[in-house]
C-alpha cells in the first residue's frame, strides 16, 4: 500500500505520497527525455553514415586498426590459454578468414565515422575547447566506470584517440540539435 510510511522507507527525497508521485513523475520524464535524445542522435548519425561515402581511406589507417582489432583477439585467446585460430573458430564461431574480413569491415566503419565527424566539425566550425574535452572525459569516466581520466585515456588508446571519440560525440549531439525531423 502506498502510504507516507512506505514512501519514507523507499525514498530519500520524498516524505509523503504526493511528493513521491511528483518524484517518480520527474524521474520518468527525465528517463523518457534521455531515451528520446539517444534515439534521435542514433537515428541522425545512422542517416548521415548511410549517405556518407569515403572515396579513399587514409593510407594505412584501416590496416593499422584491423591489426589492432585482431591483436586484441590474439591477446584474448592467450588469456584463455588458446591459440588464435582455435579461439576464433571455437569461441567466436567463425573461420579465421571470415573473422578477419569482419575485423577489416569494422575498422573501415570506424575510420569512416571518424572522417565523417571530422569533416562535419570542420564544415560547421565545431571546435571543442579544452574545458569541453575535460567535461566530456569526466562524463565518460562516470558513464563507463573508470576511476580517472588517465585510465579512460589508456583504455581509449591515448589522448588523440579519446579526442576523436569526444569530437564524434559532440558532432552527433550537434546533428541531433540541428536536424530537420521528417515523419515517415
Amino acid at each position: 500500500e502506498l502510504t507516507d510510511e512506505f514512501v519514507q522507507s523507499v525514498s530519500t527525497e520524498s516524505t509523503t505520497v504526493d511528493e513521491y508521485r511528483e518524484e517518480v513523475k520527474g524521474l520518468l520524464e527525465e528517463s523518457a527525455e534521455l531515451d528520446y535524445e539517444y534515439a534521435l542522435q542514433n537515428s541522425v548519425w545512422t542517416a548521415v553514415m548511410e549517405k556518407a561515402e569515403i572515396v579513399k581511406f587514409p593510407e594505412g589507417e584501416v590496416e593499422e586498426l584491423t591489426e589492432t582489432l585482431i591483436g586484441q583477439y590474439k591477446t584474448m585467446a592467450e588469456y584463455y590459454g588458446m591459440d588464435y585460430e582455435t579461439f576464433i573458430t571455437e569461441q567466436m564461431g567463425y573461420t579465421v578468414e571470415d573473422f578477419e574480413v569482419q575485423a577489416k569491415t569494422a575498422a573501415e566503419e570506424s575510420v569512416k565515422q571518424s572522417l565523417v565527424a571530422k569533416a562535419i566539425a570542420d564544415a560547421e566550425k565545431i571546435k571543442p575547447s579544452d574545458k569541453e574535452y575535460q567535461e566530456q572525459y569526466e562524463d565518460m569516466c562516470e558513464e563507463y566506470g573508470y576511476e580517472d581520466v588517465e585510465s579512460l585515456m589508456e583504455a581509449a588508446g591515448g589522448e588523440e584517440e579519446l579526442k576523436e571519440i569526444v569530437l564524434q560525440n559532440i558532432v552527433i549531439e550537434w546533428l541531433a540539435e540541428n536536424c530537420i525531423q521528417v515523419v515517415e
Side-chain angles (χ1 to χ4, degrees), residues 134-163:
Q134 191 61 38
E135 288 171 357
Q136 287 274 335
Y137 296 161
E138 290 167 8
D139 289 347
M140 291 171 76
C141 282
E142 187 176 319
E143 183 176 347
Y144 298 117
Y146 286 94
E147 288 182 28
D148 52 36
V149 173
E150 290 75 28
S151 305
L152 174 67
M153 221 171 266
E154 185 178 320
E159 184 173 8
E160 286 308 307
E161 287 80 359
L162 190 56
K163 279 189 170 187

